[in-house]
Amino acid sequence: MAAVATSTPVIARAAGAQRDARASRCAGVVPGAARSPAASARAGTFMTGGRLTASRRTGVRAERGNRLVVKASGANSFGKFFRVTTFGESHGGGVGCVIDGVPPRLPLTQEELQFELDRRRPGQSRITTPRNEFDTCEILSGLVNDITIGTPIAVLVRNKDQRSGDYSEISVAYRPSHADATYDYKYGVRAIAGGGRSSARETIGRVAAGAVAKKILKTVAGVEILAFVSAVRDVKTEAVDLDSFTLEEVESNIVRCPDQEAAEKMINAIDEVRVKGDSCGGVVTCVMRNVPKGLGAPVFAKLEADLASAMMSIPATKGFTVGSGFEGTLMTGSQHNDEFFVDDSGDVRTRTNRSGGIQGGITNGETVVVQIAFKPTSTITSKQMTVTREKVESELRARGRHDPCVVPRAVPMVEAMAALVLCDHMLQQHAQNHLWGDSGFTGGDISDILPPLAETTSRANGGAPFGGVAPTKDEPSLAAQRDAYSED
């Protein structure tokens, strides 16, 4: 957050005195003591009119009388009940995440996380970055004998194939449309090699956490989340059946489009710009099936709003729509409305799904459908004009290994962020709406973590109450789980 000098009168000075003293000590300031200009500069502040004013590039906000309040940035965590914090830079020692809020007694293995990370990893084909990373994950905490224990799960992936020398040019020159310049504007310093936190390598932590969220959603409610590339440049597909396409169809080609005819055209479109040292963008469509009714909130926590926030946090995203999206603006109300009916099982359904499974910010039991637009990759080897940190205009030919089109590898990233949002909202739904019912773990199977509400159903289990899906038979019983990590 940019630090701002303020002249707002201080209210309740006595009540805030201890807080101000603590903040001053954190900033290395002795309350009431005079400071030299040099000392002020070292702390990132300068004197003006007898008042300390914070530098724009610090996390310190100044008030009257040499009183400083430290403002820390918390932009590396996502979620409320299911909370994920990612860490690491592209060319640092490693990247990963800490996942808090995972229910205990959930069977979970390293292989389940690795499956999703392998889909995201670089070097998969000629249309992705050739950086050769195996992205093998290490689970450092939160599990005993492949069972979650309710404590934070830390996941680490060590970086192996860095080539920091490829970034010597951009150490002084900004890549057009990249985060190089804005990171300097905000922090005054940046991790140059690999783009630091602005690199898509940061998403490793999200994908690992998304694998955990997917497991919870599948186990408790039978939710299935699948994404695919629906457009590259001007090549689009409208032949994919959103209700029936499979993961195997998505993974059947290097561009991750289940429409094989369109996939070939998309690959050619990427190759066309790749050989010229250029890049292109596209669209990823994400489908969330069997989502329980009632997830989301009416106003500030609408499900589509949280999904938009999640998707737009992925690198290179430039647009988000749900359901009919902007096409809905061309329709009349009578054309766009999704009419209700009662199906053969007695469930209230809609005949169409232009709402994309969300109405009033809350899921209605239909498939949730969103689309995310990705811009062309910023780092290209073609000549571009730019400026240096010293504001000297110059020519740049970027080196390094980069995706000519990010959308094929963005597919598992989109799925992961959708899973994080749904899992967080499912836990919020349980916390608020199951308070007066059976809210304790009663034993029997893993689904008891989220006890049912009679009115909250999912078609994944034939209309059974939310949380009514039992674990597979090969999952260990509670008694076996307890025995596995009990000590004599």
Side-chain angles (χ1 to χ4, degrees):
M1 179 181 294
V4 181
T6 177
S7 59
T8 304
V10 180
I11 301 174
R13 293 175 182 270
Q18 292 182 340
R19 178 201 64 197
D20 297 334
R22 286 194 300 270
S24 297
R25 286 194 295 273
C26 291
V29 179
V30 178
R35 299 188 61 173
S36 67
S40 297
R42 285 194 298 271
T45 60
F46 58 91
M47 297 293 294
T48 174
R51 181 178 64 188
L52 278 174
T53 304
S55 166
R56 289 186 305 159
R57 288 174 179 165
T58 68
V60 179
R61 181 171 180 169
E63 294 182 357
R64 294 178 183 271
N66 292 5
R67 299 188 311 166
L68 303 179
V69 178
V70 177
K71 298 289 186 180
S73 173
N76 297 295
S77 299
F78 182 84
K80 299 179 179 69
F81 286 64
F82 191 87
R83 189 163 179 82
V84 177
T85 300
T86 68
F87 61 85
E89 290 81 38
S90 178
H91 284 210
V95 292
C97 65
V98 176
I99 316 165
D100 203 1
V102 180
R105 301 182 177 92
L106 175 75
L108 184 69
T109 65
Q110 185 269 349
E111 289 77 16
E112 290 174 294
L113 275 63
Q114 194 62 53
F115 173 80
E116 297 293 345
L117 291 173
D118 287 346
R119 298 176 65 211
R120 195 223 70 92
R121 69 178 291 270
Q124 298 180 34
S125 70
R126 70 177 187 272
I127 62 172
T128 65
T129 170
R131 179 171 175 173
N132 187 24
E133 295 276 9
F134 289 101
D135 289 349
T136 302
C137 69
E138 305 170 37
I139 300 178
L140 306 180
S141 65
L143 272 72
V144 173
N145 297 326
D146 293 337
I147 301 293
T148 61
I149 58 176
T151 58
I153 297 175
V155 182
L156 172 65
V157 171
R158 301 180 190 276
N159 295 326
K160 302 289 187 182
D161 189 30
Q162 307 99 312
R163 295 183 187 174
S164 299
D166 289 348
Y167 294 83
S168 57
E169 291 89 349
I170 67 169
S171 63
V172 293
Y174 297 132
R175 286 172 287 180
S177 289
H178 202 277
D180 297 336
T182 51
Y183 270 48
D184 261 357
Y185 299 159
K186 181 173 180 65
Y187 300 111
V189 64
R190 60 189 169 95
I192 295 168
R197 290 285 283 171
S198 66
S199 167
R201 193 147 182 80
E202 177 273 334
T203 63
I204 283 177
R206 307 178 191 218
V207 172
V212 180
K214 279 186 174 183
K215 180 65 179 287
I216 296 171
L217 291 165
K218 185 71 172 179
T219 301
V220 172
V223 175
E224 182 182 31
I225 301 173
L226 289 174
F228 67 94
V229 175
S230 53
V232 170
R233 299 178 65 186
D234 59 348
V235 180
K236 302 178 181 179
T237 177
E238 296 180 356
V240 178
D241 185 343
L242 300 185
D243 292 325
S244 63
F245 79 93
T246 65
L247 176 63
E248 290 72 25
E249 291 174 335
V250 172
E251 298 294 330
S252 65
N253 56 70
I254 59 177
V255 79
R256 290 199 167 107
C257 176
D259 178 353
Q260 298 299 327
E261 182 178 349
E264 287 300 320
K265 295 178 181 178
M266 292 176 183
I267 293 170
N268 292 336
I270 296 173
D271 279 336
E272 182 181 345
V273 297
R274 178 180 61 85
V275 297
K276 298 176 182 178
D278 213 333
S279 63
C280 62
V283 177
V284 172
T285 296
C286 185
V287 175
M288 294 155 254
R289 300 170 182 158
N290 304 320
V291 178
K293 296 177 180 178
L295 302 189
V299 185
F300 297 117
K302 291 175 184 262
L303 187 67
E304 67 261 52
D306 284 355
L307 284 169
S309 175
M311 299 305 175
M312 294 302 290
S313 73
I314 301 173
T317 50
K318 284 297 179 184
F320 171 90
T321 64
V322 58
S324 61
F326 290 105
E327 295 298 320
T329 64
L330 306 177
M331 300 179 181
T332 62
S334 59
Q335 294 171 327
H336 190 270
N337 288 345
D338 297 318
E339 295 182 348
F340 290 107
F341 75 103
V342 179
D343 67 12
D344 294 339
S345 64
D347 194 16
V348 176
R349 300 283 307 282
T350 61
R351 299 187 185 280
T352 55
N353 192 25
R354 299 185 185 94
S355 300
I358 304 172
Q359 294 171 332
I362 300 170
T363 55
N364 63 4
E366 301 297 329
T367 299
V368 177
V369 182
V370 300
Q371 289 192 317
I372 304 93
F374 289 82
K375 69 182 180 69
T377 313
S378 298
T379 307
I380 57 177
T381 57
S382 301
K383 181 181 73 174
Q384 299 179 94
M385 297 306 297
T386 186
V387 299
T388 67
R389 295 188 74 184
E390 289 70 35
K391 301 182 181 180
V392 177
E393 293 186 0
S394 64
E395 181 181 292
L396 175 66
R397 288 183 181 270
R399 292 186 293 162
R401 297 160 294 174
H402 308 279
D403 295 86
C405 182
V406 300
V407 291
R409 288 209 300 139
V411 166
M413 304 175 196
V414 167
E415 291 178 3
M417 294 311 295
L420 295 184
V421 172
L422 289 183
C423 191
D424 195 35
H425 273 272
M426 189 168 68
L427 293 175
Q428 292 179 54
Q429 169 77 0
H430 168 67
Q432 180 183 24
N433 293 311
H434 292 197
L435 183 63
W436 310 122
D438 179 13
S439 59
F441 187 85
T442 58
D445 59 49
I446 196 69
S447 65
D448 287 339
I449 292 173
L450 295 176
L453 272 181
E455 295 79 16
T456 309
T457 63
S458 168
R459 292 198 310 279
N461 49 27
F466 173 52
V469 178
T472 59
K473 292 183 179 179
D474 58 350
E475 290 179 352
S477 65
L478 289 178
Q481 294 172 30
R482 295 189 187 100
D483 293 341
Y485 52 79
S486 63
E487 296 182 355
D488 293 336

